[in-house]
Amino acid sequence: MLLSAAIVAFATAARVHALWPLPRSLSEGTTALRLAPAFHITLAPSVHGAPADLYEAILRTETQLWTDDLGRLVIGRGAGDVSAFEAAAHLSELTLELDAGSTVLSITEEAQKPIEQRNEAYTLSVPSNGSAATITASSTLGLFRGLTTFGQLWYEYEGTVYAVNTPVEIEDSPAYPYRGLLLDTARNYFAVSDILHTIDAASMVKINEFHWHVVDSQSFPLEVPGYTELAAYGAYSPQMVYTPSDVETIISYAGARGIDVLVEIDTPGHTAAFADAHPDFVACNQARPWADFAAEPPAGQLRLANDTVKEYVAGLFSAIAEMFPSSMVSTGGDEVNTNCYDQDPETQALLNATGLTLESVYDDFTAATHGALVAAGKTPAVWEEMVLDWNLTSLSNETIVLVWISSDDVKAVADKGFRVIHAASNYFYLDCGAGGWVGDYPAGNSWCDPFKTWQYSYTFDPLANLTADQYSLILGGQHNLWTEQSSPSNLDPIVWPRAASSAEVFWSGAGGNVTSALPRLHDVSFRMQQRGIHTIPLQPYWCAIRPDECDLNW
Amino acid sequence: MLLSAAIVAFATAARVHALWPLPRSLSEGTTALRLAPAFHITLAPSVHGAPADLYEAILRTETQLWTDDLGRLVIGRGAGDVSAFEAAAHLSELTLELDAGSTVLSITEEAQKPIEQRNEAYTLSVPSNGSAATITASSTLGLFRGLTTFGQLWYEYEGTVYAVNTPVEIEDSPAYPYRGLLLDTARNYFAVSDILHTIDAASMVKINEFHWHVVDSQSFPLEVPGYTELAAYGAYSPQMVYTPSDVETIISYAGARGIDVLVEIDTPGHTAAFADAHPDFVACNQARPWADFAAEPPAGQLRLANDTVKEYVAGLFSAIAEMFPSSMVSTGGDEVNTNCYDQDPETQALLNATGLTLESVYDDFTAATHGALVAAGKTPAVWEEMVLDWNLTSLSNETIVLVWISSDDVKAVADKGFRVIHAASNYFYLDCGAGGWVGDYPAGNSWCDPFKTWQYSYTFDPLANLTADQYSLILGGQHNLWTEQSSPSNLDPIVWPRAASSAEVFWSGAGGNVTSALPRLHDVSFRMQQRGIHTIPLQPYWCAIRPDECDLNW
């Protein structure tokens, strides 16, 4: 049912203008419509007691309609539309309505619900005769998604804001409930303003999860109440931290834009930064040669056989659960290096004293950290090795598993009955293809070469290799920015508009066509530019304003 | 002689701090020195009648010394230097001196001299006892290069500006006279401010040539007096042009920073944009399928068999010669598509009527365009196909040849006796590795994959495969930014600090070592950041402040 709706939508793609992600059901006309100077967005009585974040979204939308100033991406940038829009009706009103019986919560509260409970569906109707447009939904989050779509209908030419494709009738809802973007703020630091800016862009393409890989072996910038020594000693500098107030700012900014924050405290690997405050907690800390002990420098892993460490980390996750309202928290679990523990005298002494194996203490450690999260009402998320490389009885099947190494691994995770988020390096790693960064290595290239083009990501099939009864295990997917070679300097151009490709795959479903998508993605990119996001150009401008003319066989 | 000096310099690299490119001869001490609050730069009597651009350079340097605010790239960012600099002498004066008998010209005039006449040599002496530092040279251009080096000695910690490596004694001059950077402003447009910003960065690493690929098939943004219809019809928009005043601004800004502007009007291929004003001048204009007629869309080449076209283009080059003071102008000559002419009825009619071959009319066309340049006192520069794919008797051996397809082609160009600028895609193309941009091509990757890392560019040997008697044909080399997928959004991070790698190869000579270069290149990158250039991070910050610790075998 969901898939067939997506196919209907893609079949009409030739007439679709700037909508991204493509609505699951869409009909468009060919009549122009002008935005009236007095245009305003109103709330129907059904939205009685509307939350502040909905009012804010309305005001932002009203402003952006007049400030986007996006010319149509055709020769003349709208000059050819003048006769059409001069004869067009004026739209004065957009009404937002909630379906009867809907509870009025804030966008933020809706966005932070457990993933299977979120309701992002909406309908949008824009008549061509100037009578009021309407968005209906069962949640403020659905209304917000509808506002985002509404904002993509409009172009500007010499002061007139107009649409070219009315009447518009849209029924829309996501194919997958999880559409994310990962940012690593540990390899290089990003200011809060950079994160907010990225959330703005993500929200434009209906991404609903900010996966915040906040700490790693290189730095621990997160100030966690009760555990502040980790950032005090492990952050790059006292300025390069995220205070609890910063975290609140990010969470509320994201929530108001329909985005939940999935925080990750990667354990027990990737934890050398814990050693700055607690040297006793970390095995193989900065051990040499690092390549024998870790995937990248510095080496260092939590001594998971040590009960003090285990209890400390469980307590840390309890504190994290208090900081982050999301229903999900990631405990990491990637790239645990067994040699680090094999060579660590303390870990070996503890294993010898108890007769336990490394796997069994990892299981105990996981029981403790996941237990702390479950006690706080959270669902743990982990990287794929936790289920594919280790036999951890403590991992409940409620655990959400992110596949990163290869999309080929998805089937094995699903076969074990776990829910999956697609995040595979072979499709969704934004850092690949930029050469190696390890020193003393002139021939070094990126380990995950080649560069993952938007076109390639866009052809991803979330259900490949799975049986029909496994489809419901697929929650969605995300692009990932690991930041060994990224900073605020290249954040926008390395992410945008590429990350919009997965946002559409996981909203609209598989089956999109790069050829019809390209003009729409140009539109995404240009609209982001108008809002201050420094997207890369997908093509020469000559091509951008001549849809199809730079296609391979044109 | 030059090479042995370079070897001496590289042998001392372990003690070199932030200097880039590495001076050809260098001795450093280990004594700290503070910059006095009253520090000032003075001119010796030998610089009587100093030009305004030297005064401007002095004022910029004096400002930057206090505003760079670059902390040392070590743990603590300079906290460990406090005891050393608190005991250090204060430097109050830097004196600039010209060698006896030197003519005092402006930096701009020196930078724009014919390439074999430029003199960039200088010596720099910085005593550790606080007595005056000195830069000596035979030209204001040499003094300017010395100022650039002087500026790289200084770090800041809590308000103190200090060096850690005095006394410093440097004798320096470039291994190669040409060190360039190419920017394509035709595929996507760059504002004048973006170009000036790029010139600032280039000047920091002693690049001395801005190769401006200003026009191409996609757009013709250059307003040429007498030929203004080309931009009027061929620019992307009336706002996306470079007026004669803009060009003057760029040339003088570059000149004052020791950089000459080599403009390129690519002919007879890459000229579809001429058709917007002169449709009759262009064969296969926007012909389909474009791939049969051009390397990228849109197709279109000047009808070189047509005398009117030939005379028009020769006149255009005369006008270009008036606009640009450089001794060099590039006429392009790459990727001429013979099928375009084979399929063009007008060209075929003209060839049939005269009995001439395409090659012979190309020769006549080149004689006319190069003749116009030579008559204006210019040396033509061309891309490699002009000498390797065509037998053009009109090409004088004075012509400078840029090798772009592959560094393997350099030997063949040198064997024909032409001077060479290295610009090969397999080492120096900044755009490679970012995926394909042609539409309707989901599997498309960059034609020149993989990404060219700074490390790989840095290992380039300018003299590889050549005989000793051909060494003098090598003028230098350049990184190139073709902008199908670039715009102001990603200009800084795609260029910097990568393009510094060729700047050092062609200043300091071959033989550099990526391992000792990395900490210095971090320094380049961080100093550029302090001056507003959005360089990418080469590594996680953890590595940047721990020289060597992220090396492969650390």
Side-chain angles (χ1 to χ4, degrees):
Chain A
M1 163 59 196
L2 288 178
L3 285 175
S4 67
I7 289 163
V8 170
F10 281 117
T12 66
R15 283 165 49 201
V16 174
H17 289 87
L19 304 181
W20 193 288
L22 203 58
R24 317 282 316 289
S25 163
L26 165 69
S27 81
E28 295 181 286
T30 56
T31 303
L33 179 67
R34 276 182 285 190
L35 203 66
F39 173 83
H40 58 286
I41 300 174
T42 59
L43 294 174
S46 57
V47 203
H48 180 74
D53 59 10
L54 182 59
Y55 282 111
E56 289 162 11
I58 288 169
L59 291 172
R60 276 202 312 279
T61 304
E62 287 181 346
T63 300
Q64 287 161 348
L65 289 169
W66 296 109
T67 59
D68 273 357
D69 286 345
L70 176 64
R72 272 186 74 202
L73 292 175
V74 293
I75 296 171
R77 302 299 301 273
D81 296 329
V82 172
S83 59
F85 71 61
E86 284 187 343
H90 280 98
L91 180 69
S92 296
E93 186 172 353
L94 166 66
T95 303
L96 308 190
E97 292 182 18
L98 282 175
D99 298 328
S102 305
T103 309
V104 183
L105 299 178
S106 67
I107 298 170
T108 302
E109 289 168 307
E110 297 282 357
Q112 293 170 352
K113 280 184 174 175
I115 194 157
E116 64 278 7
Q117 294 174 29
R118 296 178 197 166
N119 186 341
E120 304 182 81
Y122 69 94
T123 68
L124 169 63
S125 172
V126 185
S128 51
N129 64 358
S131 56
T134 314
I135 296 172
T136 64
S138 297
S139 72
T140 55
L141 182 57
L143 294 176
F144 176 72
R145 299 293 179 225
L147 280 173
T148 302
T149 303
F150 180 80
Q152 293 177 342
L153 297 172
W154 305 92
Y155 298 100
E156 186 271 351
Y157 184 78
E158 294 192 348
T160 299
V161 174
Y162 64 100
V164 294
N165 57 336
T166 67
V168 176
E169 298 291 340
I170 288 172
E171 288 186 40
D172 203 9
S173 62
Y176 297 92
Y178 183 109
R179 302 160 323 270
L181 176 66
L182 178 146
L183 180 67
D184 160 12
T185 59
R187 272 59 178 256
N188 282 299
Y189 179 79
F190 293 78
V192 171
S193 59
D194 298 309
I195 295 175
L196 302 185
H197 177 86
T198 300
I199 285 167
D200 277 326
S203 176
M204 289 176 70
V205 292
K206 301 191 175 79
I207 284 172
N208 72 348
E209 202 75 31
F210 175 55
H211 181 170
W212 191 3
H213 184 90
V214 61
V215 299
D216 207 294
S217 271
Q218 288 84 359
S219 73
F220 197 105
L222 185 66
E223 273 187 28
V224 184
Y227 297 80
T228 53
E229 75 279 10
L230 291 170
Y233 292 89
Y236 279 141
S237 81
Q239 292 72 43
M240 294 159 95
V241 297
Y242 304 106
T243 66
S245 163
D246 292 336
V247 171
E248 274 185 35
T249 297
I250 290 166
I251 289 170
S252 64
Y253 194 90
R257 286 153 185 81
I259 296 177
D260 181 46
V261 179
L262 164 56
V263 69
E264 175 175 344
I265 307 294
D266 201 353
T267 57
H270 290 265
T271 46
F274 281 70
D276 297 324
H278 295 289
D280 292 351
F281 286 8
V282 176
C284 70
N285 181 32
Q286 300 193 34
R288 295 177 59 178
W290 59 261
D292 287 353
F293 299 95
E296 61 183 49
Q301 299 187 162
L302 289 167
R303 285 185 165 129
L304 36 62
N306 178 318
D307 284 342
T308 305
V309 175
K310 182 174 69 179
E311 284 154 27
Y312 178 89
V313 178
L316 174 65
F317 275 111
S318 296
I320 290 290
E322 294 250 325
M323 284 184 94
F324 290 86
S326 175
S327 68
M328 300 176 285
V329 171
S330 172
T331 61
D334 56 316
E335 298 185 312
V336 172
N337 183 301
T338 53
N339 185 55
C340 170
Y341 293 126
D342 290 346
Q343 306 290 323
D344 182 46
E346 180 180 320
T347 298
Q348 291 307 310
L350 287 165
L351 294 179
N352 288 336
T354 57
L356 296 171
T357 64
L358 182 64
E359 189 161 68
S360 70
V361 296
Y362 194 5
D363 213 358
D364 290 346
F365 182 86
T366 303
T369 57
H370 285 206
L373 290 174
V374 170
K378 306 296 189 187
T379 301
V382 298
W383 295 111
E384 61 172 286
E385 293 100 313
M386 292 278 279
V387 298
L388 297 183
D389 291 359
W390 300 87
N391 184 22
L392 304 178
T393 59
S394 58
L395 269 191
S396 122
N397 260 65
E398 289 301 299
T399 309
I400 295 168
V401 178
L402 290 101
V403 172
W404 70 274
I405 298 174
S406 167
S407 56
D408 292 342
D409 297 343
V410 168
K411 173 70 173 161
V413 175
D415 284 348
K416 289 175 181 271
F418 289 96
R419 291 178 294 173
V420 172
I421 293 169
H422 290 290
S425 64
N426 55 326
Y427 279 92
F428 300 121
Y429 269 31
L430 293 161
D431 61 320
C432 302
W437 59 267
V438 169
D440 194 22
Y441 192 24
N445 271 315
S446 159
W447 72 270
C448 54
D449 265 336
F451 182 91
K452 309 308 172 209
T453 66
W454 76 265
Q455 298 95 320
Y456 188 69
S457 306
Y458 192 71
T459 61
F460 184 73
D461 177 2
L463 304 179
N465 305 322
L466 301 177
T467 58
D469 62 325
Q470 293 174 324
Y471 290 174
S472 62
L473 294 173
I474 304 299
L475 297 180
Q478 64 186 29
H479 266 89
N480 307 274
L481 182 61
W482 302 105
T483 60
E484 286 87 353
Q485 295 164 296
S486 285
S487 71
S489 289
N490 64 336
L491 174 61
D492 280 4
I494 203 170
V495 175
W496 305 112
R498 261 197 300 164
S501 60
S502 62
E504 178 152 299
V505 166
F506 294 108
W507 179 284
S508 310
N513 170 304
V514 296
T515 310
S516 58
L518 174 58
R520 288 187 298 113
L521 192 57
H522 272 304
D523 232 292
V524 171
S525 180
F526 276 76
R527 195 177 294 275
M528 285 186 173
Q529 284 273 355
Q530 296 300 101
R531 295 192 190 173
I533 314 293
H534 298 128
T535 61
I536 60 154
L538 299 168
Q539 296 187 314
Y541 182 73
W542 192 92
C543 306
I545 60 172
R546 290 173 177 82
D548 306 326
E549 294 195 26
C550 293
D551 287 355
L552 184 60
N553 296 308
W554 180 268
Chain B
M1 163 59 198
L2 288 178
L3 285 174
S4 67
I7 290 163
V8 170
F10 282 117
T12 66
R15 283 165 50 202
V16 174
H17 290 87
L19 305 181
W20 193 287
L22 202 59
R24 317 286 311 291
S25 164
L26 165 69
S27 82
E28 294 181 286
T30 56
T31 304
L33 180 67
R34 278 181 284 191
L35 202 66
F39 173 82
H40 57 287
I41 301 174
T42 59
L43 294 174
S46 57
V47 203
H48 180 73
D53 59 10
L54 182 59
Y55 282 111
E56 289 162 10
I58 288 169
L59 291 171
R60 278 202 310 279
T61 303
E62 287 181 347
T63 301
Q64 287 161 348
L65 288 168
W66 296 109
T67 59
D68 274 357
D69 286 346
L70 175 64
R72 273 186 73 201
L73 292 175
V74 293
I75 296 172
R77 301 300 301 273
D81 297 328
V82 172
S83 58
F85 71 62
E86 282 187 343
H90 280 97
L91 180 68
S92 295
E93 185 172 354
L94 166 66
T95 303
L96 309 189
E97 293 182 16
L98 282 175
D99 298 328
S102 304
T103 310
V104 183
L105 299 177
S106 68
I107 297 170
T108 303
E109 289 167 307
E110 297 283 357
Q112 293 169 353
K113 279 184 175 176
I115 193 158
E116 64 279 6
Q117 295 174 29
R118 296 179 197 165
N119 186 340
E120 304 181 82
Y122 69 94
T123 68
L124 169 63
S125 172
V126 184
S128 52
N129 65 358
S131 57
T134 313
I135 296 171
T136 65
S138 296
S139 72
T140 55
L141 182 57
L143 294 176
F144 176 72
R145 298 295 178 224
L147 280 173
T148 302
T149 302
F150 180 79
Q152 293 177 342
L153 296 173
W154 304 93
Y155 298 100
E156 187 270 349
Y157 183 77
E158 294 192 349
T160 298
V161 175
Y162 64 101
V164 293
N165 57 336
T166 66
V168 176
E169 297 292 339
I170 288 172
E171 286 187 42
D172 203 9
S173 63
Y176 297 92
Y178 183 110
R179 303 164 318 274
L181 176 66
L182 178 146
L183 180 67
D184 160 13
T185 59
R187 272 57 179 256
N188 282 300
Y189 179 79
F190 293 78
V192 172
S193 59
D194 298 310
I195 295 175
L196 302 185
H197 177 86
T198 299
I199 285 168
D200 277 326
S203 177
M204 289 176 70
V205 291
K206 301 190 175 78
I207 283 172
N208 72 348
E209 202 75 33
F210 175 55
H211 181 170
W212 192 3
H213 184 90
V214 60
V215 299
D216 208 293
S217 271
Q218 288 84 358
S219 72
F220 197 106
L222 185 66
E223 272 187 29
V224 184
Y227 297 80
T228 53
E229 75 278 10
L230 290 169
Y233 292 90
Y236 278 140
S237 80
Q239 291 74 42
M240 294 159 95
V241 297
Y242 304 106
T243 65
S245 163
D246 292 336
V247 171
E248 274 185 36
T249 298
I250 289 166
I251 289 170
S252 65
Y253 194 90
R257 286 153 185 82
I259 295 177
D260 182 46
V261 179
L262 165 57
V263 68
E264 175 175 343
I265 307 294
D266 201 352
T267 58
H270 289 267
T271 47
F274 281 70
D276 297 324
H278 296 288
D280 292 350
F281 286 8
V282 176
C284 70
N285 181 33
Q286 299 193 33
R288 295 175 59 178
W290 58 261
D292 286 353
F293 299 95
E296 61 183 50
Q301 299 186 165
L302 289 168
R303 286 186 165 128
L304 37 63
N306 178 318
D307 284 344
T308 304
V309 174
K310 181 175 69 180
E311 284 153 29
Y312 178 89
V313 178
L316 173 64
F317 276 110
S318 297
I320 290 290
E322 293 250 326
M323 286 184 92
F324 290 86
S326 175
S327 67
M328 301 177 284
V329 171
S330 171
T331 62
D334 57 315
E335 297 185 313
V336 172
N337 183 301
T338 54
N339 185 54
C340 170
Y341 293 126
D342 290 347
Q343 305 289 324
D344 181 46
E346 181 180 319
T347 298
Q348 290 307 308
L350 287 166
L351 294 179
N352 288 336
T354 57
L356 296 170
T357 63
L358 182 63
E359 188 160 70
S360 69
V361 297
Y362 194 5
D363 214 356
D364 290 347
F365 181 86
T366 304
T369 57
H370 285 205
L373 290 174
V374 170
K378 307 296 191 187
T379 301
V382 298
W383 295 110
E384 62 173 286
E385 294 99 313
M386 291 280 278
V387 298
L388 297 182
D389 291 0
W390 300 87
N391 183 22
L392 304 178
T393 59
S394 58
L395 270 190
S396 121
N397 261 68
E398 290 300 301
T399 309
I400 294 168
V401 178
L402 291 100
V403 171
W404 70 274
I405 298 173
S406 167
S407 57
D408 292 340
D409 297 343
V410 168
K411 172 69 172 162
V413 174
D415 284 348
K416 289 176 181 272
F418 289 96
R419 291 180 292 172
V420 173
I421 293 169
H422 290 290
S425 64
N426 55 326
Y427 280 91
F428 300 122
Y429 270 30
L430 294 162
D431 60 320
C432 302
W437 57 269
V438 168
D440 194 22
Y441 192 24
N445 272 313
S446 160
W447 72 269
C448 54
D449 266 338
F451 182 91
K452 309 309 172 208
T453 67
W454 76 264
Q455 297 95 321
Y456 188 69
S457 305
Y458 192 72
T459 62
F460 184 73
D461 177 0
L463 304 179
N465 304 322
L466 300 177
T467 58
D469 62 324
Q470 293 175 323
Y471 291 173
S472 63
L473 294 173
I474 304 300
L475 296 180
Q478 64 185 29
H479 266 90
N480 306 273
L481 182 60
W482 303 104
T483 61
E484 287 86 354
Q485 296 164 295
S486 285
S487 71
S489 289
N490 64 337
L491 174 61
D492 281 5
I494 202 170
V495 175
W496 304 112
R498 259 197 302 165
S501 61
S502 61
E504 178 152 298
V505 167
F506 294 108
W507 179 283
S508 310
N513 170 303
V514 296
T515 309
S516 58
L518 175 57
R520 289 188 297 115
L521 193 56
H522 273 304
D523 232 292
V524 171
S525 181
F526 277 76
R527 195 178 293 275
M528 285 186 172
Q529 284 272 355
Q530 297 299 100
R531 295 191 190 172
I533 314 293
H534 298 129
T535 61
I536 60 154
L538 299 168
Q539 296 187 314
Y541 182 73
W542 192 92
C543 306
I545 60 171
R546 290 172 177 84
D548 307 326
E549 294 194 26
C550 293
D551 287 356
L552 183 60
N553 296 308
W554 180 267

